[in-house]
Short mmCIF file of all heavy atoms in Angstrom, two decimals:
data_model
loop_
_atom_site.label_atom_id
_atom_site.label_comp_id
_atom_site.label_asym_id
_atom_site.label_seq_id
_atom_site.Cartn_x
_atom_site.Cartn_y
_atom_site.Cartn_z
N LYS A 1 -11.01 -3.90 3.06
CA LYS A 1 -10.55 -5.28 2.94
C LYS A 1 -11.68 -6.21 2.47
O LYS A 1 -11.42 -7.25 1.88
CB LYS A 1 -10.00 -5.76 4.28
CG LYS A 1 -8.66 -5.13 4.65
CD LYS A 1 -8.17 -5.63 6.00
CE LYS A 1 -6.81 -5.05 6.35
NZ LYS A 1 -6.35 -5.50 7.70
N GLU A 2 -12.93 -5.81 2.73
CA GLU A 2 -14.07 -6.60 2.26
C GLU A 2 -14.26 -6.50 0.75
O GLU A 2 -14.92 -7.34 0.14
CB GLU A 2 -15.35 -6.15 2.96
CG GLU A 2 -15.38 -6.44 4.46
CD GLU A 2 -16.57 -5.79 5.14
OE1 GLU A 2 -17.38 -5.16 4.43
OE2 GLU A 2 -16.68 -5.90 6.38
N GLN A 3 -13.68 -5.46 0.15
CA GLN A 3 -13.89 -5.22 -1.28
C GLN A 3 -12.81 -5.83 -2.16
O GLN A 3 -13.10 -6.32 -3.25
CB GLN A 3 -13.97 -3.70 -1.55
CG GLN A 3 -15.00 -2.96 -0.72
CD GLN A 3 -16.39 -3.55 -0.81
OE1 GLN A 3 -16.84 -3.91 -1.90
NE2 GLN A 3 -17.06 -3.67 0.33
N ALA A 4 -11.56 -5.79 -1.70
CA ALA A 4 -10.44 -6.28 -2.52
C ALA A 4 -9.20 -6.40 -1.65
O ALA A 4 -9.17 -5.94 -0.50
CB ALA A 4 -10.18 -5.34 -3.69
N GLU A 5 -8.15 -6.99 -2.22
CA GLU A 5 -6.85 -7.08 -1.53
C GLU A 5 -6.38 -5.66 -1.20
O GLU A 5 -6.36 -4.79 -2.08
CB GLU A 5 -5.84 -7.78 -2.44
CG GLU A 5 -4.52 -8.08 -1.75
CD GLU A 5 -3.55 -8.84 -2.66
OE1 GLU A 5 -3.73 -8.79 -3.90
OE2 GLU A 5 -2.62 -9.47 -2.13
N THR A 6 -6.02 -5.45 0.05
CA THR A 6 -5.74 -4.10 0.53
C THR A 6 -4.36 -4.02 1.19
O THR A 6 -4.00 -4.89 1.99
CB THR A 6 -6.82 -3.65 1.54
OG1 THR A 6 -8.10 -3.68 0.89
CG2 THR A 6 -6.56 -2.24 2.04
N PHE A 7 -3.62 -2.97 0.84
CA PHE A 7 -2.30 -2.72 1.39
C PHE A 7 -2.31 -1.37 2.11
O PHE A 7 -3.05 -0.45 1.72
CB PHE A 7 -1.24 -2.72 0.29
CG PHE A 7 -1.19 -4.02 -0.46
CD1 PHE A 7 -2.05 -4.27 -1.53
CD2 PHE A 7 -0.30 -5.02 -0.09
CE1 PHE A 7 -2.02 -5.47 -2.23
CE2 PHE A 7 -0.26 -6.23 -0.77
CZ PHE A 7 -1.12 -6.46 -1.84
N VAL A 8 -1.49 -1.25 3.15
CA VAL A 8 -1.52 -0.06 4.00
C VAL A 8 -0.12 0.51 4.16
O VAL A 8 0.86 -0.23 4.30
CB VAL A 8 -2.09 -0.39 5.39
CG1 VAL A 8 -2.17 0.87 6.26
CG2 VAL A 8 -3.46 -1.04 5.28
N ALA A 9 -0.06 1.84 4.18
CA ALA A 9 1.15 2.55 4.57
C ALA A 9 0.79 3.50 5.70
O ALA A 9 -0.27 4.13 5.67
CB ALA A 9 1.73 3.34 3.40
N THR A 10 1.66 3.59 6.71
CA THR A 10 1.48 4.58 7.77
C THR A 10 2.77 5.37 7.94
O THR A 10 3.88 4.82 7.81
CB THR A 10 1.11 3.92 9.12
OG1 THR A 10 2.03 2.87 9.41
CG2 THR A 10 -0.29 3.35 9.08
N GLU A 11 2.62 6.66 8.22
CA GLU A 11 3.79 7.52 8.36
C GLU A 11 4.71 7.05 9.48
O GLU A 11 5.93 7.16 9.38
CB GLU A 11 3.35 8.97 8.58
CG GLU A 11 2.71 9.61 7.37
CD GLU A 11 2.25 11.03 7.64
OE1 GLU A 11 2.70 11.62 8.64
OE2 GLU A 11 1.45 11.56 6.84
N ASP A 12 4.09 6.55 10.57
CA ASP A 12 4.91 6.14 11.72
C ASP A 12 5.25 4.65 11.72
O ASP A 12 5.90 4.16 12.65
CB ASP A 12 4.22 6.53 13.03
CG ASP A 12 2.89 5.80 13.25
OD1 ASP A 12 2.51 4.96 12.41
OD2 ASP A 12 2.24 6.07 14.28
N GLY A 13 4.80 3.93 10.69
CA GLY A 13 5.13 2.51 10.60
C GLY A 13 4.34 1.61 11.53
O GLY A 13 4.65 0.42 11.65
N SER A 14 3.30 2.13 12.16
CA SER A 14 2.53 1.33 13.13
C SER A 14 1.70 0.25 12.47
O SER A 14 1.39 -0.77 13.09
CB SER A 14 1.64 2.25 13.98
OG SER A 14 0.79 3.03 13.15
N VAL A 15 1.30 0.45 11.21
CA VAL A 15 0.53 -0.55 10.46
C VAL A 15 1.09 -0.61 9.04
O VAL A 15 1.35 0.43 8.43
CB VAL A 15 -0.98 -0.20 10.41
CG1 VAL A 15 -1.75 -1.28 9.67
CG2 VAL A 15 -1.55 0.00 11.80
N GLY A 16 1.27 -1.81 8.53
CA GLY A 16 1.72 -1.96 7.15
C GLY A 16 3.11 -1.43 6.90
O GLY A 16 3.99 -1.48 7.77
N THR A 17 3.31 -0.87 5.71
CA THR A 17 4.61 -0.33 5.30
C THR A 17 4.83 1.04 5.93
O THR A 17 3.93 1.88 5.92
CB THR A 17 4.67 -0.21 3.76
OG1 THR A 17 4.42 -1.49 3.18
CG2 THR A 17 6.01 0.32 3.30
N LYS A 18 6.01 1.28 6.45
CA LYS A 18 6.33 2.62 6.96
C LYS A 18 6.62 3.54 5.78
O LYS A 18 7.45 3.23 4.92
CB LYS A 18 7.54 2.58 7.89
CG LYS A 18 7.85 3.95 8.50
CD LYS A 18 8.95 3.90 9.52
CE LYS A 18 9.17 5.28 10.13
NZ LYS A 18 10.22 5.27 11.17
N GLY A 19 5.90 4.66 5.72
CA GLY A 19 6.10 5.60 4.63
C GLY A 19 4.78 6.00 4.00
O GLY A 19 3.77 6.12 4.68
N ASN A 20 4.80 6.16 2.68
CA ASN A 20 3.60 6.60 1.97
C ASN A 20 3.07 5.50 1.05
O ASN A 20 3.60 4.39 1.02
CB ASN A 20 3.89 7.89 1.19
CG ASN A 20 5.03 7.73 0.19
OD1 ASN A 20 5.17 6.67 -0.44
ND2 ASN A 20 5.84 8.76 0.01
N VAL A 21 2.04 5.83 0.30
CA VAL A 21 1.39 4.80 -0.53
C VAL A 21 2.32 4.25 -1.61
O VAL A 21 2.26 3.06 -1.94
CB VAL A 21 0.07 5.33 -1.16
CG1 VAL A 21 -0.99 5.55 -0.08
CG2 VAL A 21 0.31 6.61 -1.97
N LEU A 22 3.20 5.09 -2.14
CA LEU A 22 4.15 4.60 -3.13
C LEU A 22 5.15 3.64 -2.50
O LEU A 22 5.57 2.66 -3.14
CB LEU A 22 4.87 5.76 -3.81
CG LEU A 22 4.13 6.44 -4.96
CD1 LEU A 22 4.90 7.65 -5.47
CD2 LEU A 22 3.86 5.47 -6.09
N ASP A 23 5.53 3.89 -1.26
CA ASP A 23 6.40 2.96 -0.55
C ASP A 23 5.71 1.60 -0.42
O ASP A 23 6.36 0.55 -0.57
CB ASP A 23 6.75 3.50 0.84
CG ASP A 23 7.62 4.75 0.78
OD1 ASP A 23 8.51 4.81 -0.09
OD2 ASP A 23 7.40 5.66 1.60
N ALA A 24 4.40 1.60 -0.14
CA ALA A 24 3.65 0.34 -0.01
C ALA A 24 3.56 -0.38 -1.36
O ALA A 24 3.69 -1.61 -1.42
CB ALA A 24 2.26 0.61 0.54
N ILE A 25 3.36 0.38 -2.44
CA ILE A 25 3.31 -0.22 -3.77
C ILE A 25 4.64 -0.90 -4.11
O ILE A 25 4.68 -2.04 -4.58
CB ILE A 25 2.95 0.85 -4.83
CG1 ILE A 25 1.47 1.25 -4.68
CG2 ILE A 25 3.23 0.34 -6.25
CD1 ILE A 25 1.07 2.45 -5.51
N ARG A 26 5.74 -0.20 -3.84
CA ARG A 26 7.06 -0.74 -4.17
C ARG A 26 7.44 -1.89 -3.25
O ARG A 26 8.00 -2.90 -3.70
CB ARG A 26 8.09 0.38 -4.10
CG ARG A 26 7.91 1.42 -5.22
CD ARG A 26 8.83 2.60 -5.08
NE ARG A 26 8.72 3.51 -6.20
CZ ARG A 26 8.56 4.83 -6.09
NH1 ARG A 26 8.51 5.39 -4.89
NH2 ARG A 26 8.47 5.59 -7.16
N ALA A 27 7.10 -1.77 -1.96
CA ALA A 27 7.46 -2.82 -0.99
C ALA A 27 6.76 -4.14 -1.32
O ALA A 27 7.28 -5.22 -1.03
CB ALA A 27 7.12 -2.37 0.43
N ASN A 28 5.57 -4.04 -1.90
CA ASN A 28 4.79 -5.24 -2.21
C ASN A 28 4.83 -5.61 -3.69
O ASN A 28 4.11 -6.50 -4.13
CB ASN A 28 3.34 -5.04 -1.76
CG ASN A 28 3.20 -4.94 -0.25
OD1 ASN A 28 3.25 -5.96 0.44
ND2 ASN A 28 3.06 -3.73 0.28
N ALA A 29 5.70 -4.91 -4.45
CA ALA A 29 5.90 -5.18 -5.89
C ALA A 29 4.57 -5.22 -6.64
O ALA A 29 4.30 -6.12 -7.44
CB ALA A 29 6.67 -6.48 -6.08
N LEU A 30 3.71 -4.22 -6.39
CA LEU A 30 2.39 -4.17 -7.02
C LEU A 30 2.47 -3.52 -8.40
O LEU A 30 3.28 -2.61 -8.62
CB LEU A 30 1.42 -3.38 -6.13
CG LEU A 30 1.29 -3.84 -4.68
CD1 LEU A 30 0.30 -2.96 -3.95
CD2 LEU A 30 0.88 -5.30 -4.60
N THR A 31 1.62 -3.97 -9.30
CA THR A 31 1.56 -3.37 -10.64
C THR A 31 0.10 -3.18 -11.05
O THR A 31 -0.78 -3.91 -10.61
CB THR A 31 2.24 -4.26 -11.69
OG1 THR A 31 1.58 -5.53 -11.74
CG2 THR A 31 3.72 -4.46 -11.37
N ALA A 32 -0.13 -2.18 -11.88
CA ALA A 32 -1.48 -1.91 -12.39
C ALA A 32 -1.38 -1.11 -13.68
O ALA A 32 -0.29 -0.68 -14.08
CB ALA A 32 -2.31 -1.16 -11.35
N ASP A 33 -2.54 -0.90 -14.31
CA ASP A 33 -2.61 -0.12 -15.56
C ASP A 33 -3.16 1.28 -15.34
O ASP A 33 -2.93 2.17 -16.16
CB ASP A 33 -3.51 -0.85 -16.57
CG ASP A 33 -3.07 -2.27 -16.82
OD1 ASP A 33 -1.87 -2.51 -17.06
OD2 ASP A 33 -3.94 -3.18 -16.77
N VAL A 34 -3.95 1.44 -14.29
CA VAL A 34 -4.62 2.72 -14.06
C VAL A 34 -4.71 2.99 -12.56
O VAL A 34 -4.83 2.06 -11.76
CB VAL A 34 -6.03 2.73 -14.72
CG1 VAL A 34 -6.92 1.63 -14.15
CG2 VAL A 34 -6.72 4.09 -14.55
N ILE A 35 -4.59 4.27 -12.21
CA ILE A 35 -4.70 4.71 -10.82
C ILE A 35 -5.95 5.56 -10.66
O ILE A 35 -6.21 6.46 -11.47
CB ILE A 35 -3.47 5.54 -10.40
CG1 ILE A 35 -2.21 4.67 -10.35
CG2 ILE A 35 -3.69 6.23 -9.05
CD1 ILE A 35 -0.92 5.47 -10.12
#
C-alpha cells in the first residue's frame, strides 16, 4: 500500500473481494495494458 493503490482478494472473503485476483480486478473495474 505504500507503493501504489492496492486491491485485495481473499478466498474466504475476510479481506477485500471474496475470490481470486481476477474477481478483485472485475469487482473494482480495473484496467491496464500489461500484467
Side-chain angles (χ1 to χ4, degrees):
K1 289 179 178 178
E2 293 172 2
Q3 306 307 317
E5 188 177 20
T6 301
F7 301 85
V8 182
T10 51
E11 291 179 16
D12 64 2
S14 56
V15 182
T17 303
K18 183 174 183 178
N20 58 37
V21 291
L22 278 175
D23 293 322
I25 288 170
R26 291 174 176 131
N28 293 283
L30 306 180
T31 60
D33 305 312
V34 60
I35 292 172

